Amino acid sequence: MGQECSILAEGLTKRFGKFTAVDRITFSIERGEIFGFLGPNGAGKSTTIRMLCGILKPTSGKAYVAGIDVEKDPDLLKMHIGYMSQKFSLYQDLTVEENIALYAGIYGIDNRIFKEKHNELLNRLGLLKKRDIMTKDLPTGWKQRLSLACAIFHAPDILFLDEPTSGVDPEARREFWNLLYDLSSKGTTVLVTSHYMEEAEQCQRIGMIFDGKLAAKGTPEEIKEKIPGAIYEAEHPQIQKVSEALKGIPGIADVSPFGKSLHILSTEPHLSAGIIAKSLEEKGLKKVSIREIPPSLEDVFIYLFKRGN
């Protein structure tokens, strides 16, 4: 394992009976990197994180986190990582400060260091004025900040975040990501799962997982190159009729709804926006606005998901 490699998975597999949740995935994450894990529900993201945290034992394959074999020494591993689960797991009947004190005690942080650090951390996360509020009375966004505070209080080398901004409003999500960038800049490695494509754009690298298999990995720009053709956007008042008509045009590999518009994947170089519009006009659909656009991560996500199903 390389000196700057914080996480290394080699053929990592997890089976539950006859069901394979994670199927021989291999990837590495460098120190200080923010790596995004994308995939639909049930794809294997959370199972992978739990194996990397030493919570679940792999069926086969190997994983090293902070240079530690996660299967052989899970107790040592826990001192080097912070974990924020998808399900909110703090104590609702404790105050903000009491929850942080509890987690500090779990990690063996003595009172002197706790007193030195907790005010600074509460202030950094905007929780200082909420220190005496019961956790159950906090809005979702503030609960997520508290979860992050508990996960990073012991200054872990590596941070695992499983859907950390699910149910959080856009402003709180943006502030959350600013904190992740700050941690990353100071050397903390972050592995984060997310359903939000705009969040994935903020990761240095991404892995897309479907049915337990890693379908793509790389920078956001490298991932977008997985699209095997051109993407066009179509707009029209009768968008459903346009969608049905497009599926009958040779060379169009896929049509997907995007808000009030459609995204069209063309795998034929000769099939320009003008030719597509003309083909639709011949089908009785006039004045369809069509333009070529750069592929988005969501386009790649949909393409890879449909290809595997």
Side-chain angles (χ1 to χ4, degrees), residues 37-41 43 45 163 194-197 200 206-211 215-216 220 223-224 226-227 231 254 256 258 295-309:
F37 231 23
L38 299 179
N41 289 333
K45 304 186 302 296
E163 299 285 353
S194 178
H195 280 125
Y196 300 107
M197 295 298 155
I206 299 164
M208 287 189 174
I209 185 169
F210 301 95
D211 295 325
I223 294 284
K224 290 171 189 176
K226 298 287 182 183
I227 288 286
I231 296 290
D254 187 57
S256 301
F258 270 72
S296 67
L297 283 177
E298 192 162 353
D299 290 317
V300 183
F301 187 90
I302 291 170
Y303 166 72
L304 292 174
F305 178 71
K306 288 183 176 179
R307 191 179 68 169
N309 287 273

Side-chain angles (χ1 to χ4, degrees), residues 18 35 37 68 140:
K18 294 182 179 180
F35 188 93
F37 231 23
I68 300 164
T140 301

Side-chain angles (χ1 to χ4, degrees), residues 1-2 5-10 12 27-29 51-53 58 61-72 77 81 158 160:
M1 184 171 177
C5 186
S6 289
I7 299 172
L8 176 63
E10 296 178 325
L12 199 60
F27 65 95
S28 63
I29 304 174
M51 284 191 286
L52 294 173
C53 289
K62 300 292 288 183
Y64 301 90
V65 175
I68 300 164
D69 186 320
V70 301
E71 190 174 356
K72 290 182 178 178
L77 173 66
I81 65 172
I158 300 161
F160 293 96

Side-chain angles (χ1 to χ4, degrees), residues 27 54 83 142 156 159:
F27 65 95
Y83 174 52
W142 290 100
L159 189 58

Side-chain angles (χ1 to χ4, degrees), residues 205-241:
R205 284 194 304 134
I206 299 164
M208 287 189 174
I209 185 169
F210 301 95
D211 295 325
K213 295 182 179 180
L214 203 57
K217 58 185 174 182
T219 66
E221 291 308 313
E222 288 170 345
I223 294 284
K224 290 171 189 176
E225 292 174 2
K226 298 287 182 183
I227 288 286
I231 296 290
Y232 296 93
E233 183 178 66
E235 295 178 328
H236 190 268
Q238 295 178 299
I239 204 68
Q240 186 57 41
K241 287 186 177 181

